[in-house]
Amino acid sequence: MSAKTDKLLSILKLQPVVPVLVIDDAATAVPLARALVAGGLKAIEITLRTPAALEAIRAVANEVEGAVAGAGTILNAAQFEAAVEAGSEFIVSPGTTQELIDVANDHAVPLLPGAATASEVMGLREEGYGVMKFFPAEQAGGAAYLKSLSSPLAGTLFCPTGGISLANARDYLSLPNVVCVGGSWVAPKELVAKGDWAGITKLAAQAFALKD
């Protein structure tokens, strides 16, 4: 196992659920991240789906004690470089391209590449990847599909993301090939808009308790 894989696993094993955040206003990033960390969710994926994303990553990386800031929805080399420059400690992509693999090879920051089919998983294994994001999890076949991959593709670990909630997270977390899940339900837009950080800490603590 490579040093980068070790580093990635050490981050993903911090908690059973990695929050997947879409941040519209960078000013909310720090209090939101602090609320999540207070509930036990230290590794935080901030998706590059908004103009505020890079500023949010930089703020969380610099200002939130205990947080491990990561960048999600990374689609190309330029975004990868920008996310690393902003302070991301891990990078997440919805799928995988050769361009992403090449830029990831040039950096110490680990990539969690996206895969949804057995062929994609096999291709990533050939590139040296043993830990992948399974996305979009529910739409691609859910926990039953992922379970069916565990024997023929033994040794590969996944972080399923997409359509996962408190209601079905355990279905995934009980699988031998799942290291954690990604979910947006721990930071609902309405609670962020209201600044209900205590409510978000409560949701984070519920999610953290799934490890038991």
Side-chain angles (χ1 to χ4, degrees):
M1 195 180 290
S2 72
K4 278 200 280 194
T5 302
D6 282 343
K7 184 177 180 182
L8 181 60
L9 281 175
S10 72
I11 293 169
L12 298 180
K13 288 180 176 178
L14 287 171
Q15 62 218 39
V17 180
V18 175
V20 178
L21 309 181
V22 179
I23 294 180
D24 295 307
D25 178 3
T28 65
V30 167
L32 173 54
R34 285 183 177 143
L36 292 166
V37 171
L41 305 185
K42 294 178 179 178
I44 297 168
E45 177 189 333
I46 297 171
T47 61
L48 260 68
R49 299 183 196 178
T50 68
L54 289 171
E55 188 184 341
I57 290 166
R58 189 172 282 108
V60 171
N62 291 335
E63 299 175 41
V64 183
E65 190 176 347
V68 181
T73 322
I74 298 296
L75 306 179
N76 54 50
Q79 289 182 336
F80 192 112
E81 302 270 9
V84 170
E85 192 273 328
S88 300
E89 294 187 55
F90 63 103
I91 303 288
V92 186
S93 61
T96 313
T97 65
Q98 193 61 48
E99 180 184 347
L100 274 178
I101 288 170
D102 290 344
V103 72
N105 286 339
D106 292 336
H107 287 275
V109 176
L111 170 67
L112 178 67
T117 67
S119 294
E120 289 168 355
V121 173
M122 288 166 65
L124 282 166
R125 281 165 58 119
E126 285 181 4
E127 295 285 350
Y129 286 88
V131 187
M132 303 167 203
K133 168 175 170 163
F134 175 56
F135 177 82
E138 282 291 283
Q139 296 81 355
Y145 177 87
L146 205 49
K147 184 179 182 180
S148 70
L149 293 183
S150 62
S151 182
L153 297 172
T156 307
L157 293 172
F158 296 93
C159 172
T161 304
I164 298 177
S165 65
L166 192 61
N168 63 2
R170 282 192 192 277
D171 297 341
Y172 289 93
L173 291 167
S174 64
L175 300 177
N177 56 344
V178 169
V179 63
C180 62
V181 301
S184 57
W185 85 87
V186 292
K189 276 192 184 297
E190 59 272 18
L191 292 192
V192 175
K194 286 192 296 187
D196 185 355
W197 311 125
I200 287 171
T201 294
K202 186 176 177 183
L203 289 173
Q206 271 184 333
F208 186 74
L210 289 167
K211 72 182 180 64
D212 299 328

